[in-house]
Amino acid sequence: MQTLVEHYSNKGWLQRVEQCVLHMDISSSDFNQVVRLCREHGLYGALIYLFNKGLDDFKAPLEELLLVLQSSEREISAAIG
């Protein structure tokens, strides 16, 4: 997964990585590695999906996203929101 993310990141295609994460079987991946990669690359849709489907946790990704929104610039906050 890390190689896939690095490859698509170098090409500027992180949206495709997020689409892959949204369609993969969570139980067959290293959950912590995928979460870390999503955080590093700002793939918040995939991060929400991982927590919702993998851990049945709806609160943690929302809290994390709110912290990111608070600490980012206005233009970036609008894009993330």
Side-chain angles (χ1 to χ4, degrees):
M1 187 66 184
Q2 186 169 358
T3 305
L4 175 76
V5 171
E6 288 173 6
H7 173 72
Y8 280 114
S9 179
N10 290 336
K11 294 196 175 280
W13 297 342
L14 285 174
Q15 197 71 4
R16 291 186 184 186
V17 173
E18 190 165 36
Q19 291 171 350
C20 290
V21 171
L22 294 174
H23 288 93
M24 69 184 212
D25 180 19
I26 296 171
S27 63
S28 65
S29 65
D30 181 353
F31 184 83
N32 292 323
Q33 179 191 30
V34 178
V35 167
R36 182 180 49 79
L37 291 170
C38 289
R39 284 178 175 147
E40 288 174 4
H41 295 283
L43 304 175
Y44 299 112
L47 188 66
I48 292 168
Y49 170 78
L50 290 169
F51 274 92
N52 290 176
K53 292 290 186 180
L55 300 176
D56 201 28
D57 182 359
F58 299 91
K59 183 180 173 185
L62 179 60
E63 290 173 342
E64 185 169 335
L65 192 56
L66 289 173
L67 288 173
V68 170
L69 287 170
Q70 287 177 342
S71 65
S72 60
E73 296 177 17
R74 185 177 184 141
E75 298 84 28
I76 297 171
S77 295
I80 292 171

XYZ file of all heavy atoms in Angstrom:
650
model
N 0.823 -1.190 0.000
C 0.000 0.000 0.000
C 0.865 1.251 0.000
O 0.557 2.222 -0.689
C -0.920 -0.029 1.228
C -1.919 1.052 1.260
S -3.093 0.864 -0.084
C -4.071 2.293 0.090
N 1.952 1.214 0.754
C 2.830 2.379 0.816
C 3.433 2.669 -0.557
O 3.518 3.829 -0.964
C 3.928 2.157 1.842
C 4.786 3.382 2.059
C 5.699 3.240 3.255
O 5.676 2.232 3.949
N 6.509 4.242 3.491
N 3.818 1.638 -1.283
C 4.374 1.816 -2.620
C 3.335 2.413 -3.553
O 3.649 3.302 -4.352
C 4.875 0.461 -3.174
O 5.797 -0.107 -2.245
C 5.545 0.637 -4.515
N 2.109 1.944 -3.453
C 1.019 2.481 -4.279
C 0.818 3.964 -3.997
O 0.730 4.779 -4.920
C -0.277 1.716 -4.003
C -1.526 2.252 -4.701
C -1.505 1.860 -6.168
C -2.776 1.736 -4.028
N 0.787 4.330 -2.712
C 0.586 5.724 -2.340
C 1.751 6.584 -2.839
O 1.544 7.663 -3.390
C 0.410 5.874 -0.815
C 0.418 7.329 -0.404
C -0.877 5.205 -0.371
N 2.961 6.110 -2.669
C 4.120 6.873 -3.122
C 4.106 7.049 -4.639
O 4.399 8.134 -5.140
C 5.407 6.185 -2.681
C 5.662 6.292 -1.196
C 6.857 5.468 -0.739
O 7.570 4.894 -1.600
O 7.072 5.393 0.476
N 3.761 6.003 -5.359
C 3.705 6.079 -6.826
C 2.685 7.116 -7.287
O 2.990 7.990 -8.100
C 3.367 4.699 -7.409
C 3.126 4.715 -8.879
N 4.148 4.879 -9.791
C 1.983 4.605 -9.603
C 3.648 4.868 -11.010
N 2.335 4.699 -10.925
N 1.471 7.029 -6.762
C 0.429 7.968 -7.168
C 0.713 9.379 -6.648
O 0.358 10.367 -7.292
C -0.941 7.493 -6.709
C -1.527 6.435 -7.608
C -1.725 5.141 -7.165
C -1.881 6.739 -8.913
C -2.257 4.171 -7.989
C -2.418 5.776 -9.751
C -2.603 4.497 -9.285
O -3.132 3.549 -10.113
N 1.355 9.481 -5.500
C 1.706 10.791 -4.954
C 2.710 11.496 -5.858
O 2.591 12.693 -6.125
C 2.276 10.632 -3.558
O 2.650 11.877 -3.027
N 3.696 10.747 -6.338
C 4.695 11.321 -7.247
C 4.063 11.804 -8.544
O 4.539 12.750 -9.157
C 5.794 10.308 -7.552
C 6.669 10.040 -6.349
O 6.784 10.862 -5.446
N 7.291 8.876 -6.318
N 3.006 11.175 -8.971
C 2.320 11.573 -10.190
C 1.243 12.635 -9.931
O 0.651 13.143 -10.859
C 1.693 10.357 -10.862
C 2.720 9.363 -11.371
C 2.086 8.416 -12.338
C 3.111 7.504 -12.947
N 3.863 8.118 -14.024
N 0.987 12.927 -8.650
C -0.030 13.913 -8.304
C -1.445 13.370 -8.385
O -2.395 14.120 -8.577
N -1.600 12.071 -8.222
C -2.901 11.405 -8.362
C -3.396 10.866 -7.025
O -3.891 9.742 -6.936
C -2.810 10.261 -9.351
C -2.463 10.635 -10.752
C -2.548 11.862 -11.318
C -1.976 9.756 -11.768
N -2.146 11.807 -12.628
C -1.794 10.520 -12.932
C -1.681 8.399 -11.796
C -1.335 9.981 -14.113
C -1.220 7.851 -12.985
C -1.045 8.644 -14.126
N -3.337 11.649 -5.981
C -3.761 11.167 -4.665
C -5.251 10.869 -4.613
O -5.693 10.038 -3.822
C -3.383 12.172 -3.582
C -1.898 12.177 -3.235
C -1.587 13.293 -2.253
C -1.476 10.839 -2.667
N -6.028 11.506 -5.457
C -7.468 11.224 -5.502
C -7.712 9.764 -5.882
O -8.642 9.134 -5.384
C -8.140 12.172 -6.506
C -9.622 12.255 -6.350
C -10.030 13.004 -5.089
O -9.213 13.525 -4.357
N -11.307 13.035 -4.841
N -6.863 9.218 -6.732
C -7.001 7.805 -7.126
C -6.673 6.874 -5.966
O -7.282 5.820 -5.833
C -6.117 7.504 -8.323
C -6.597 8.174 -9.571
C -5.821 7.769 -10.758
N -6.275 8.522 -11.924
C -5.863 8.302 -13.141
N -4.967 7.364 -13.378
N -6.314 9.021 -14.135
N -5.717 7.255 -5.156
C -5.388 6.451 -3.974
C -6.596 6.401 -3.055
O -6.961 5.334 -2.542
C -4.168 7.028 -3.231
C -3.938 6.292 -1.920
C -2.937 6.974 -4.091
N -7.226 7.553 -2.862
C -8.401 7.601 -2.007
C -9.504 6.704 -2.562
O -10.166 5.982 -1.823
C -8.894 9.039 -1.871
C -9.943 9.203 -0.813
C -10.154 10.651 -0.431
O -10.068 11.529 -1.311
O -10.411 10.895 0.752
N -9.688 6.700 -3.863
C -10.696 5.834 -4.480
C -10.362 4.366 -4.255
O -11.256 3.555 -4.011
C -10.804 6.133 -5.970
C -11.407 7.483 -6.266
C -11.303 7.867 -7.738
O -10.615 7.203 -8.510
N -11.973 8.937 -8.112
N -9.081 4.017 -4.321
C -8.667 2.628 -4.063
C -8.987 2.223 -2.622
O -9.491 1.128 -2.380
C -7.172 2.463 -4.321
S -6.690 2.564 -6.041
N -8.675 3.103 -1.684
C -8.939 2.806 -0.270
C -10.437 2.612 -0.043
O -10.855 1.714 0.690
C -8.379 3.920 0.645
C -8.840 3.728 2.078
C -6.865 3.960 0.566
N -11.255 3.437 -0.692
C -12.701 3.344 -0.509
C -13.278 2.038 -1.050
O -14.382 1.653 -0.672
C -13.399 4.537 -1.172
C -13.115 5.898 -0.544
C -13.742 7.004 -1.371
C -13.588 5.958 0.893
N -12.538 1.358 -1.909
C -13.039 0.111 -2.501
C -12.321 -1.144 -1.999
O -12.639 -2.241 -2.429
C -12.922 0.178 -4.028
C -13.909 1.119 -4.639
N -13.606 2.429 -4.888
C -15.184 0.933 -5.014
C -14.662 3.022 -5.412
N -15.641 2.148 -5.489
N -11.364 -0.992 -1.107
C -10.611 -2.175 -0.681
C -11.229 -2.830 0.554
O -11.986 -2.204 1.290
C -9.155 -1.814 -0.411
C -8.914 -0.958 0.781
S -7.172 -0.552 0.867
C -6.960 -0.462 2.615
N -10.877 -4.087 0.733
C -11.309 -4.837 1.902
C -10.382 -4.465 3.063
O -9.186 -4.748 3.016
C -11.252 -6.332 1.612
C -11.681 -7.183 2.780
O -12.362 -6.661 3.689
O -11.352 -8.382 2.778
N -10.924 -3.836 4.057
C -10.120 -3.327 5.167
C -9.439 -4.456 5.932
O -8.307 -4.314 6.379
C -10.993 -2.493 6.125
C -11.520 -1.271 5.385
C -10.220 -2.069 7.354
C -12.552 -0.499 6.162
N -10.086 -5.588 6.042
C -9.531 -6.690 6.828
C -8.277 -7.285 6.204
O -7.503 -7.950 6.879
C -10.582 -7.783 7.023
O -10.956 -8.342 5.781
N -8.043 -7.029 4.917
C -6.870 -7.595 4.261
C -5.697 -6.616 4.203
O -4.705 -6.895 3.542
C -7.229 -8.031 2.834
O -7.565 -6.892 2.056
N -5.794 -5.495 4.888
C -4.719 -4.515 4.838
C -4.194 -4.229 6.239
O -4.820 -4.561 7.236
C -5.221 -3.213 4.206
O -6.211 -2.631 5.024
N -3.042 -3.605 6.290
C -2.476 -3.163 7.562
C -3.172 -1.858 7.916
O -2.856 -0.791 7.381
C -0.977 -2.967 7.419
C -0.304 -2.531 8.706
O -1.021 -2.245 9.700
O 0.933 -2.469 8.736
N -4.142 -1.948 8.794
C -5.015 -0.821 9.120
C -4.212 0.407 9.547
O -4.432 1.512 9.054
C -5.999 -1.228 10.213
C -6.999 -0.168 10.545
C -8.141 -0.018 9.784
C -6.793 0.689 11.616
C -9.079 0.967 10.085
C -7.718 1.676 11.924
C -8.863 1.808 11.150
N -3.266 0.227 10.465
C -2.499 1.356 10.988
C -1.663 2.026 9.910
O -1.532 3.248 9.888
C -1.610 0.915 12.153
C -2.421 0.537 13.363
O -3.431 1.151 13.657
N -1.988 -0.494 14.068
N -1.093 1.230 9.014
C -0.292 1.797 7.932
C -1.159 2.635 6.990
O -0.789 3.744 6.615
C 0.400 0.702 7.127
C 1.228 1.267 5.974
C 1.707 0.206 5.018
O 1.043 -0.812 4.838
N 2.842 0.442 4.401
N -2.327 2.124 6.634
C -3.207 2.843 5.724
C -3.711 4.133 6.374
O -3.753 5.181 5.734
C -4.381 1.953 5.264
C -5.316 2.714 4.358
C -3.866 0.715 4.549
N -4.041 4.088 7.658
C -4.481 5.286 8.379
C -3.356 6.316 8.408
O -3.579 7.504 8.147
C -4.950 4.943 9.811
C -5.106 6.190 10.658
C -6.253 4.175 9.765
N -2.142 5.876 8.691
C -1.001 6.790 8.728
C -0.786 7.447 7.363
O -0.588 8.657 7.272
C 0.266 6.049 9.152
C 1.491 6.951 9.266
C 2.738 6.178 9.702
N 2.985 4.962 8.952
C 3.541 4.925 7.723
N 3.879 6.033 7.121
N 3.742 3.778 7.126
N -0.859 6.667 6.299
C -0.680 7.207 4.956
C -1.787 8.203 4.601
O -1.521 9.240 3.985
C -0.635 6.075 3.928
C 0.593 5.177 3.990
C 0.403 3.955 3.106
C 1.838 5.939 3.582
N -3.006 7.906 5.003
C -4.116 8.832 4.744
C -3.912 10.145 5.482
O -4.151 11.224 4.929
C -5.448 8.207 5.153
S -5.993 6.882 4.070
N -3.442 10.074 6.716
C -3.182 11.294 7.481
C -2.062 12.105 6.846
O -2.166 13.330 6.732
C -2.812 10.936 8.921
C -3.976 10.524 9.754
C -3.563 10.143 11.153
N -4.717 9.865 11.986
C -4.727 8.968 12.954
N -3.637 8.268 13.239
N -5.827 8.773 13.656
N -0.989 11.434 6.463
C 0.159 12.133 5.880
C -0.197 12.850 4.578
O 0.346 13.913 4.292
C 1.294 11.146 5.599
C 1.996 10.648 6.831
C 3.019 9.576 6.524
O 3.252 9.257 5.328
O 3.604 9.042 7.480
N -1.087 12.274 3.806
C -1.394 12.819 2.489
C -2.735 13.545 2.426
O -3.165 13.951 1.354
C -1.348 11.708 1.441
C 0.022 11.126 1.283
N 1.028 11.772 0.590
C 0.576 9.983 1.748
C 2.126 11.045 0.626
N 1.877 9.952 1.329
N -3.385 13.697 3.574
C -4.625 14.461 3.618
C -5.796 13.796 2.923
O -6.662 14.465 2.375
N -5.849 12.471 2.963
C -6.947 11.724 2.336
C -8.046 11.511 3.386
O -8.245 10.419 3.904
C -6.434 10.384 1.798
C -5.268 10.486 0.808
C -4.766 9.109 0.433
C -5.677 11.265 -0.427
N -8.765 12.571 3.669
C -9.698 12.557 4.786
C -10.951 11.723 4.505
O -11.495 11.114 5.415
C -10.057 13.986 5.188
C -8.838 14.744 5.625
C -8.336 15.795 4.869
C -8.147 14.377 6.772
C -7.197 16.476 5.261
C -7.006 15.045 7.169
C -6.535 16.093 6.407
O -5.399 16.745 6.795
N -11.393 11.657 3.272
C -12.530 10.803 2.936
C -12.208 9.345 3.210
O -13.004 8.598 3.778
N -11.005 8.933 2.814
C -10.563 7.564 3.058
C -10.372 7.310 4.546
O -10.701 6.235 5.057
C -9.271 7.278 2.302
N -9.864 8.303 5.249
C -9.667 8.167 6.698
C -10.994 7.961 7.417
O -11.115 7.100 8.289
C -8.948 9.407 7.238
C -8.500 9.364 8.681
C -7.415 8.308 8.876
C -7.980 10.722 9.109
N -11.992 8.730 7.035
C -13.325 8.573 7.616
C -13.872 7.183 7.326
O -14.412 6.507 8.194
C -14.271 9.674 7.100
C -13.846 11.030 7.655
C -15.721 9.369 7.457
C -14.520 12.207 7.004
N -13.704 6.728 6.091
C -14.162 5.393 5.696
C -13.491 4.317 6.539
O -14.154 3.387 7.023
C -13.865 5.171 4.211
C -14.079 3.758 3.747
C -15.364 3.283 3.498
C -13.013 2.897 3.561
C -15.570 1.984 3.061
C -13.210 1.599 3.133
C -14.492 1.145 2.884
O -14.677 -0.148 2.466
N -12.182 4.427 6.729
C -11.447 3.419 7.493
C -11.943 3.328 8.935
O -12.162 2.233 9.453
C -9.951 3.731 7.481
C -9.246 3.528 6.154
C -7.848 4.129 6.186
C -9.181 2.050 5.809
N -12.124 4.462 9.569
C -12.602 4.448 10.950
C -14.048 3.962 11.037
O -14.393 3.198 11.940
C -12.480 5.838 11.581
C -11.135 6.108 12.168
C -10.143 6.704 11.412
C -10.854 5.770 13.471
C -8.894 6.959 11.948
C -9.610 6.009 14.027
C -8.624 6.612 13.252
N -14.882 4.391 10.105
C -16.296 3.988 10.129
C -16.457 2.496 9.895
O -17.153 1.812 10.649
C -17.098 4.747 9.090
C -17.282 6.217 9.400
O -17.851 6.953 8.616
N -16.792 6.684 10.528
N -15.839 1.977 8.848
C -15.998 0.567 8.487
C -15.120 -0.359 9.315
O -15.540 -1.437 9.696
C -15.678 0.354 7.002
C -16.658 0.981 6.062
C -17.965 0.253 6.108
C -18.898 0.811 5.056
N -20.178 0.156 5.046
N -13.873 0.081 9.578
C -12.928 -0.787 10.271
C -13.125 -0.869 11.762
O -12.954 -1.925 12.367
N -13.484 0.244 12.371
C -13.591 0.286 13.825
C -14.992 0.615 14.314
O -15.222 0.677 15.519
C -12.614 1.329 14.391
C -11.136 1.120 14.095
C -10.318 2.280 14.628
C -10.654 -0.196 14.665
N -15.902 0.867 13.398
C -17.258 1.307 13.738
C -17.197 2.551 14.633
O -17.960 2.706 15.577
C -18.029 0.178 14.420
C -19.538 0.365 14.334
O -20.002 0.998 13.364
O -20.243 -0.097 15.249
N -16.247 3.424 14.305
C -16.005 4.638 15.080
C -16.339 5.849 14.211
O -15.708 6.078 13.183
C -14.543 4.689 15.517
C -14.217 5.893 16.380
O -15.115 6.718 16.634
O -13.054 5.997 16.819
N -17.326 6.600 14.622
C -17.758 7.761 13.863
C -17.270 9.065 14.496
O -17.276 10.104 13.859
C -19.287 7.771 13.745
C -19.814 6.565 13.026
C -20.165 5.418 13.724
C -19.931 6.568 11.654
C -20.638 4.303 13.065
C -20.404 5.458 10.981
C -20.759 4.324 11.688
N -16.859 8.993 15.740
C -16.482 10.187 16.484
C -15.023 10.606 16.224
O -14.741 11.779 15.992
C -16.693 9.937 17.973
C -16.407 11.109 18.844
C -16.655 10.765 20.300
C -16.207 11.897 21.196
N -16.317 11.537 22.610
N -14.097 9.659 16.258
C -12.666 9.972 16.134
C -12.317 10.675 14.822
O -11.581 11.674 14.847
C -11.828 8.716 16.308
N -12.808 10.218 13.665
C -12.435 10.932 12.439
C -13.017 12.342 12.386
O -12.385 13.256 11.857
C -12.983 10.060 11.310
C -13.980 9.174 11.931
C -13.593 9.022 13.368
N -14.191 12.534 12.961
C -14.788 13.860 12.994
C -13.959 14.800 13.866
O -13.676 15.937 13.484
C -16.224 13.785 13.509
C -16.971 15.106 13.608
C -17.076 15.784 12.247
C -18.357 14.885 14.186
N -13.544 14.319 15.025
C -12.708 15.126 15.905
C -11.384 15.483 15.231
O -10.914 16.615 15.310
C -12.439 14.383 17.214
C -13.652 14.254 18.103
C -13.415 13.381 19.311
O -12.433 12.585 19.313
O -14.204 13.478 20.264
N -10.792 14.510 14.546
C -9.531 14.755 13.857
C -9.705 15.767 12.726
O -8.884 16.669 12.548
C -8.977 13.437 13.304
C -7.626 13.594 12.693
C -6.955 12.276 12.393
O -7.279 11.262 13.039
O -6.094 12.270 11.505
N -10.772 15.642 11.983
C -11.036 16.565 10.885
C -11.283 17.982 11.404
O -10.819 18.957 10.809
C -12.225 16.077 10.064
C -12.464 16.755 8.731
C -11.234 16.675 7.842
C -13.640 16.122 8.025
N -11.971 18.114 12.515
C -12.200 19.435 13.098
C -10.893 20.081 13.556
O -10.696 21.289 13.398
C -13.191 19.351 14.258
C -14.639 19.066 13.859
C -15.498 18.841 15.086
C -15.194 20.187 13.007
N -9.972 19.280 14.104
C -8.662 19.806 14.494
C -7.880 20.281 13.276
O -7.228 21.324 13.310
C -7.860 18.750 15.253
C -8.331 18.430 16.659
C -7.551 17.252 17.229
C -8.205 19.645 17.552
N -7.949 19.524 12.189
C -7.266 19.916 10.951
C -7.862 21.212 10.421
O -7.140 22.117 9.997
C -7.360 18.791 9.898
C -6.880 19.270 8.543
C -6.572 17.574 10.341
N -9.182 21.320 10.449
C -9.846 22.532 9.965
C -9.463 23.756 10.796
O -9.251 24.842 10.257
C -11.361 22.350 9.976
C -11.934 21.439 8.910
C -13.397 21.153 9.188
C -11.755 22.038 7.538
N -9.364 23.590 12.099
C -9.022 24.708 12.981
C -7.599 25.194 12.768
O -7.316 26.380 12.885
C -9.197 24.313 14.443
C -10.632 24.209 14.872
C -10.756 23.731 16.315
O -9.822 23.180 16.883
N -11.916 23.938 16.898
N -6.706 24.281 12.460
C -5.295 24.646 12.359
C -4.863 25.018 10.943
O -3.716 25.389 10.742
C -4.424 23.501 12.890
O -4.581 22.369 12.058
N -5.748 24.938 9.965
C -5.353 25.232 8.592
C -5.810 26.627 8.177
O -6.640 27.256 8.824
C -5.929 24.179 7.644
O -7.322 24.166 7.721
N -5.250 27.079 7.075
C -5.613 28.385 6.533
C -7.033 28.359 5.976
O -7.575 27.294 5.686
C -4.633 28.771 5.431
C -3.214 28.962 5.931
C -2.266 29.279 4.801
O -2.710 29.660 3.706
O -1.052 29.152 5.021
N -7.588 29.516 5.785
C -8.981 29.626 5.375
C -9.280 28.923 4.048
O -10.260 28.221 3.919
C -9.376 31.091 5.299
C -10.836 31.274 5.008
C -11.219 32.723 5.007
N -12.653 32.795 4.803
C -13.442 33.624 5.393
N -12.947 34.494 6.223
N -14.722 33.616 5.175
N -8.417 29.101 3.046
C -8.645 28.486 1.737
C -8.587 26.964 1.819
O -9.379 26.255 1.221
C -7.618 28.980 0.713
C -7.663 30.467 0.433
C -6.866 31.275 1.450
O -5.892 30.749 2.023
O -7.247 32.426 1.691
N -7.618 26.489 2.594
C -7.473 25.035 2.757
C -8.647 24.487 3.551
O -9.174 23.412 3.237
C -6.132 24.708 3.442
C -4.970 25.154 2.551
C -6.032 23.233 3.767
C -3.619 25.085 3.209
N -9.089 25.204 4.555
C -10.235 24.776 5.363
C -11.481 24.622 4.506
O -12.245 23.673 4.665
C -10.524 25.778 6.477
O -9.472 25.819 7.388
N -11.693 25.553 3.601
C -12.860 25.473 2.715
C -12.772 24.258 1.814
O -13.773 23.564 1.592
C -12.973 26.746 1.883
N -11.581 23.947 1.318
C -11.407 22.781 0.449
C -11.625 21.480 1.218
O -12.266 20.556 0.722
C -10.020 22.787 -0.179
N -11.107 21.420 2.436
C -11.267 20.219 3.256
C -12.728 20.039 3.661
O -13.267 18.955 3.617
C -10.377 20.286 4.512
C -8.909 20.209 4.126
C -10.706 19.141 5.471
C -7.965 20.473 5.269
N -13.354 21.149 4.065
C -14.744 21.096 4.507
C -15.655 20.629 3.404
O -16.573 19.882 3.610
